[in-house]
Amino acid sequence: MASAKYIFVTGGVTSSLGKGIIASSLGNLLQARGYKVTIQKFDPYINVDPGTLNPYEHGECYVTDDGAETDLDLGHYERFLNTPTSQANNVTTGRIYYDVITKERRGDYLGKTVQVIPHITDEIKRNFFRLGETGDYDFVITEIGGCVGDIESLPFIEAVRQARWDVGENNCLVIHLTLIPYLKAAKELKTKPTQHSVKQLLEAGIQPDILVCRSEKPLPNDIRKKLALFCNVQLNSVIEALDADTIYDVPLLMRKEKLDERVLSKLRLPSKGEPQIDDWREFLGRLKNPTNEVDIALVGKYVELPDAYKSIAEAFIHAGAHLACKVNVHWISSETINNKSVHRILKDMDGVLVAPGFGERGIEGKIEAIRYVRENSIPFFGICLGMQCAVVEFARNVLGFTDAASTELNPETEHPVIGLMEDQKSIEDYGGTMRLGAYDCKVSKPSKVYSAYGSAKISERHRHRYEFNSQYLKEFEDAGMKAVGTNPESNLVEIIEIPEHPYFVGTQFHPELKSTVMKPHPLFVSFIAAIVKNNKN
Ligand code: GLN
């Protein structure tokens, strides 16, 4: 076993307490002390990965450089730590069983009966330790999805129990994130649900080392003492996690509660002085004291669930803070937009982003929104399907191909300006078969995109099947829509731009996936900067 320390984060009482944010905040503080950290998530559902899930289920699907389709918490890990994750950082029950069953079919178990313990738990542990064994990390933080007590997370919890023995006491700890509800009528914070959830962990053989307690109100000392006594943890290991203004406040709240110090002392590691969090504080300062304000419409089809566009929303926060500009994102369902309503809906917007997506619903609304912003010189940014819709709109209304479409939506069109690549045509499976992960892109100058990146060679992440149909490229370019980013190997069009427009950019890739607090994405920064400039004119 390599020298990495393993921290497991479990959840109790209810889901949605923000295990991902707590894990990310702790990772951030340890990193700020000079330690190398990675965070991984183990999800109890049976899908092999979240790529086939509807965004209404668990929010957006986050894509890593190596093309893994993963849980959106990996986005938080990257945004907080500013280091990339990979397939190894997200494992589901489905993947564990898939791998065990594949081994069984291959005869690897030599005739043994294959069982949850030890075969499934061994496979889980192999994955727990995989990143630690690379020698690249001092800490591997593992977030266990779901709540303790759920039937489906039992094998993960059992594997955590075993893992403690495998790596030894000083190399492993368990943080339990729980809720301390406040009962208004009684004017009291209640510890009982936490006591019960810790009991459930104890039944599974796990004594949590640290309790992180989500609460709307500060935890008075008597409540902390009660939690320590009944849950069998040290008083200073009861950590308060108050509701915060933004998720980016949480590292500072955890610092105040000394979560990082407790972790280091329990794992017998030196504190290496104070964590270097000045840059983070500066970011928060700019975020909270903006000097400008803009209104941006996010036109999409899953707008009732903001988690479906998590990375886009966060990218606006990073880029907005960078420019000390408050970005008010207005979530607009593309289904409400048509030729009659478009002016009313978009007239007060300073800029419009058309979101990624799949399928037919809401497409015509997206195209109508794009016509409106193109004709009215309102800054526009289209991502993936948003870029494809911009191409279709231009083909219909500028090139005059009235039936132009993407073949995803109209396979019979005479003008398939967006179509399938040859190597996608024969694919029948839905899981993991899109164009996924990081690809290089060559950016041509002069262009707004080049000025934004300040570089001709970039790499961005993809998740789509359909592409710009290069047979039409000349006609588009002659009419004023330029391909300013192309794949250096396949020549596929990755970025389009209308140079004559104040800001009209569409990307086939997903820039939002690479935006972090410390490295806001250049295209989000340039989009907001263009809006600010446009508003001044
Ligand atoms: N549905 C489109 C495609 O598959 C766009 C996908 C997306 O927006 N991520 O190409």
Side-chain angles (χ1 to χ4, degrees):
M1 199 78 36
S3 56
K5 305 275 184 182
Y6 294 92
I7 300 170
F8 294 95
V9 181
T10 58
V13 180
T14 152
S15 56
S16 304
L17 290 181
K19 283 194 296 280
I21 302 299
I22 295 293
S24 301
S25 299
L26 172 61
N28 179 277
L29 291 173
L30 295 171
Q31 195 186 47
R33 288 175 181 274
Y35 286 106
K36 285 176 283 167
V37 184
T38 190
I39 313 178
Q40 53 188 8
K41 175 146 195 207
F42 280 60
D43 274 310
Y45 52 73
I46 298 179
N47 305 63
V48 172
D49 63 41
T52 53
L53 288 171
N54 183 316
Y56 285 120
E57 296 286 312
H58 295 274
E60 85 174 1
C61 172
Y62 188 78
V63 180
T64 55
D65 278 335
D66 64 346
E69 298 180 281
T70 73
D71 184 82
L72 61 73
D73 272 325
L74 273 78
H76 291 309
Y77 307 162
E78 292 203 6
R79 292 189 278 271
F80 277 65
L81 299 188
N82 199 27
T83 52
T85 54
S86 70
Q87 177 67 72
N89 294 74
N90 191 199
V91 177
T92 66
T93 293
R95 178 166 308 275
I96 297 288
Y97 272 82
Y98 189 88
D99 290 346
V100 167
I101 291 169
T102 305
K103 285 183 196 169
E104 185 275 332
R105 293 288 84 183
R106 239 180 10 221
D108 289 6
Y109 295 111
L110 305 174
K112 286 274 183 218
T113 308
V114 181
Q115 296 182 297
V116 173
I117 305 171
H119 301 98
I120 293 295
T121 46
D122 279 354
E123 184 64 23
I124 295 172
K125 287 193 293 174
R126 201 177 63 75
N127 283 282
F128 279 170
F129 299 141
R130 205 156 115 194
L131 287 168
E133 282 165 353
T134 60
D136 294 340
Y137 303 105
D138 302 311
F139 287 97
V140 178
I141 303 177
T142 304
E143 178 188 346
I144 305 288
C147 265
V148 295
D150 294 349
I151 290 180
E152 51 182 16
S153 58
L154 278 176
F156 288 144
I157 299 292
E158 165 61 13
V160 172
R161 184 192 70 76
Q162 295 178 18
R164 290 191 128 183
W165 291 104
D166 293 346
V167 297
E169 224 183 338
N170 296 335
N171 297 320
C172 178
L173 64 79
V174 175
I175 297 175
H176 189 54
L177 176 63
T178 170
L179 175 70
I180 311 294
Y182 178 73
L183 290 193
K184 268 203 196 103
K187 293 199 174 60
E188 261 186 306
L189 287 163
K190 291 302 200 186
T191 65
K192 191 70 83 189
T194 297
Q195 294 179 39
H196 280 299
S197 96
V198 169
K199 274 218 176 75
Q200 232 155 3
L201 264 183
L202 284 168
E203 267 172 37
I206 296 174
Q207 166 66 57
D209 301 280
I210 294 175
L211 291 182
V212 175
C213 306
R214 277 295 302 273
S215 170
E216 306 170 27
K217 306 249 176 212
L219 300 184
N221 224 6
D222 60 321
I223 293 281
R224 292 185 189 239
K225 277 189 183 148
K226 194 166 173 186
L227 284 163
L229 180 68
F230 283 93
C231 301
N232 201 25
V233 297
Q234 287 170 299
L235 183 58
N236 59 6
S237 294
V238 177
I239 304 286
E240 162 192 284
L242 282 178
D243 292 354
D245 291 346
T246 82
I247 55 172
Y248 301 111
D249 285 301
V250 179
L252 300 186
L253 293 179
M254 291 302 102
R255 176 70 202 109
K256 217 165 113 214
E257 284 285 297
K258 302 191 166 77
L259 173 62
D260 51 336
E261 284 177 44
R262 294 307 302 148
V263 164
L264 291 170
S265 111
K266 283 193 173 293
L267 293 172
R268 312 245 189 294
L269 284 171
S271 69
K272 299 194 182 181
E274 285 289 304
Q276 302 298 314
I277 45 180
D278 290 350
D279 289 352
W280 196 273
R281 281 188 208 280
E282 244 172 67
F283 156 80
L284 278 175
R286 284 193 309 271
L287 180 65
K288 294 186 176 183
N289 302 292
T291 51
N292 250 317
E293 188 166 346
V294 296
D295 289 286
I296 298 181
L298 190 155
V299 177
K301 99 174 178 189
Y302 309 107
V303 288
E304 308 86 327
L305 183 79
D307 266 4
Y309 304 113
K310 191 85 201 155
S311 295
I312 294 178
E314 299 306 318
F316 274 131
I317 293 175
H318 309 151
H322 181 77
L323 297 167
C325 178
K326 182 164 187 255
V327 179
N328 303 314
V329 179
H330 301 259
W331 305 80
I332 294 174
S333 163
S334 50
E335 284 176 290
T336 62
I337 300 182
N338 55 44
N339 186 278
K340 290 209 179 70
S341 65
V342 66
H343 175 70
R344 177 178 48 80
I345 295 175
L346 297 181
K347 70 179 186 326
D348 296 326
M349 294 294 131
D350 303 316
V352 172
L353 182 145
V354 175
F358 294 83
E360 205 178 347
R361 185 160 68 82
I363 283 285
E364 292 303 323
K366 288 183 173 174
I367 293 174
E368 195 52 38
I370 295 169
R371 183 192 61 74
Y372 183 82
V373 296
R374 185 179 53 75
E375 292 180 351
N376 291 288
S377 298
I378 298 170
F380 163 77
F381 190 11
I383 298 180
C384 208
L385 181 63
M387 173 264 200
Q388 297 174 356
C389 288
V391 169
V392 171
E393 190 280 322
F394 196 87
R396 286 186 189 173
N397 300 324
V398 179
L399 301 182
F401 304 149
T402 43
D403 77 326
S406 160
T407 55
E408 178 181 12
L409 308 156
N410 176 9
E412 310 302 328
T413 174
E414 296 267 306
H415 294 98
V417 289
I418 302 287
L420 270 189
M421 279 181 305
E422 271 317 306
D423 59 359
Q424 283 281 348
K425 287 188 178 157
S426 56
I427 294 175
E428 283 175 5
D429 275 2
Y430 272 105
T433 55
M434 283 186 255
R435 181 173 172 216
L436 287 166
Y439 286 85
D440 284 344
C441 173
K442 199 171 72 206
V443 181
S444 52
K445 53 183 160 174
S447 65
K448 293 193 182 70
V449 174
Y450 179 84
S451 310
Y453 280 102
S455 165
K457 188 173 178 265
I458 57 165
S459 165
E460 293 282 2
R461 297 181 193 167
H462 291 246
R463 182 174 189 251
H464 57 101
R465 289 199 170 80
Y466 294 83
E467 305 282 352
F468 184 97
N469 182 346
S470 296
Q471 283 172 1
Y472 290 94
L473 184 56
K474 189 163 178 328
E475 278 159 285
F476 276 87
E477 300 222 296
D478 289 348
M481 180 179 273
K482 309 276 180 205
V484 294
T486 48
N487 182 297
E489 276 147 35
S490 60
N491 254 337
L492 286 170
V493 173
E494 313 282 40
I495 313 175
I496 54 103
E497 187 174 309
I498 299 180
E500 296 311 316
H501 189 280
Y503 194 93
F504 193 103
V505 171
T507 62
Q508 187 56 82
F509 50 76
H510 291 262
E512 72 277 17
L513 301 175
K514 284 184 69 171
S515 177
T516 72
V517 169
M518 288 298 133
K519 248 176 133 189
H521 195 283
L523 291 184
F524 279 84
V525 174
S526 66
F527 179 44
I528 297 171
I531 292 173
V532 171
K533 187 168 160 220
N534 205 43
N535 285 356
K536 285 200 181 120
N537 289 340

